[in-house]
Amino acid sequence: MNDLLPPHTHHWQYLETKLQTILESYAYQEIRTPLLEATELFSRSIGEVTDIVEKEMFTFIDRNGDNLTLRPEGTASCVRAAIEQGLLHTPGQRLWYKGPMFRHERPQQGRYRQFHQLGAEVYGLKGPDIDAEIIALTARFWKTLGLDNLTLQLNSLGSKVTRDHYRQQLITYFTQHLSQLDEDSQRRLKHNPLRILDSKNPHLQTLIAQAPQFSDYLDDSSHTHFTELTQLLTHLNIPYQVNPRLVRGLDYYNNTVFEWITPDLGAQSTVCAGGRYDGLIEQLGGKPVPAIGFALGMERLLLLLTQQNKLPEFNKLPHIYLILTELTLSSGMHLAETLREILPTLRILTHCGGGNFKTQFKKADKSGARFALILGEDEIAQQQVTLKDLRSSQPQITLNQTELVAYLNPILNQLTT
Ligand code: HAM
């Protein structure tokens, strides 16, 4: 779990604003849900036999004896809220969210125990058009941020019936080779054999490569859905790679699943992932409503932006350091408030804590401010202020308040933002 400090917080703000603007350009609206939910919500949706539920959740019993969990992802909470708040009556409900998620994983670069996702979920639309929209939206993120080297991997997990049938075939196949399976895969064999396909164990790769192929079992309607989606993506100029091994680590998916991956982040290569989960809302007690969504990892995206040198320079240093005396303190604070009202983007740091002019000038210089604004007793007497450019050798100037505003206003845009 990380503290986020300046200047990194500026990078976060930049990224959040960019992503929000794009989500709004697709008419998605923000939803905020609690960080804590009933544990059962996650075990029922993500699946009992998944890494998240088996090993990674921060779970505890509260004072009332309720079993609660810090959310490991946003989809389940969003579905719960949509059911409880009656958001499913509007077909085509498009929601987005951002915030911290918690998974007790082994921390490394790009993988943390508290991390942040930004995601979107759409309810009530079953066609491949919305799948294409969701993918186009994520592609627009990368385009707007100037990122490259991201590949879209795509797969279809078919309908539940197809998957059950395929599951049986996998169980039969892997049972025949039981002794070759590692401990994790043996455990998965019973409850979640599809996840064996996702194993990173190098000793299992040949066995996995020879396993029955899901595409041979795909039902007609899932096949049509997938073909139509790929046609739309081609039409939208979004390249993709079909990856039959892409199964995702959460149980709720069916049909379309996708991941955006990059070779630039080492082991944690998935920046954004999602897919369809048409059965989940009904499974959690709502009416049968189709759904699709995605989430991206903010930390991974920021690492990628840094890696590819795509973060703009930020300067949030004060424009003005206001220098005062004990006697001019109240007038000075008043002046600062007035200036903030007239010039809302002006950053003024008012000196606090007393001290003579010399010390204050030293602090002004250290603060990185462009100007020192001096309000001494002489200035008060003459109803003026003195402005000194700390970053050039220009002589200081004396102005009244109106002249000061007129002086600062046109140059404010040129001062680095
Ligand atoms: P997920 O694949 O578990 O999917 O997570 C989505 C993204 O969150 C990952 O691709 C990664 O970028 C980021 N992420 C996950 N775990 C960590 C971690 N420990 N540290 C840093 N980043 C991490 C979901 O969570 C689904 N809810 C996505 C979804 C939404 N599917 C449909 N709707």
Side-chain angles (χ1 to χ4, degrees), residues 246-297:
L246 182 67
V247 292
R248 307 279 299 123
L250 306 95
D251 276 359
Y252 46 62
Y253 294 109
N254 67 290
N255 273 320
T256 313
V257 287
F258 66 93
E259 288 191 0
W260 285 97
I261 57 167
T262 176
D264 293 352
L265 289 183
Q268 308 310 313
S269 57
T270 309
V271 175
C272 172
R276 219 164 235 295
Y277 49 97
D278 295 333
L280 183 61
I281 297 176
E282 191 178 16
Q283 193 186 317
L284 291 178
K287 44 183 194 169
V289 172
I292 180 167
F294 75 87
L296 61 82

Side-chain angles (χ1 to χ4, degrees), residues 395-416:
Q396 60 186 40
I397 49 176
T398 307
L399 309 154
N400 66 30
Q401 189 181 300
T402 318
E403 288 165 344
L404 176 67
V405 171
Y407 181 86
L408 290 173
N409 202 8
I411 62 167
L412 201 50
N413 283 338
Q414 298 156 26
L415 297 175
T416 38

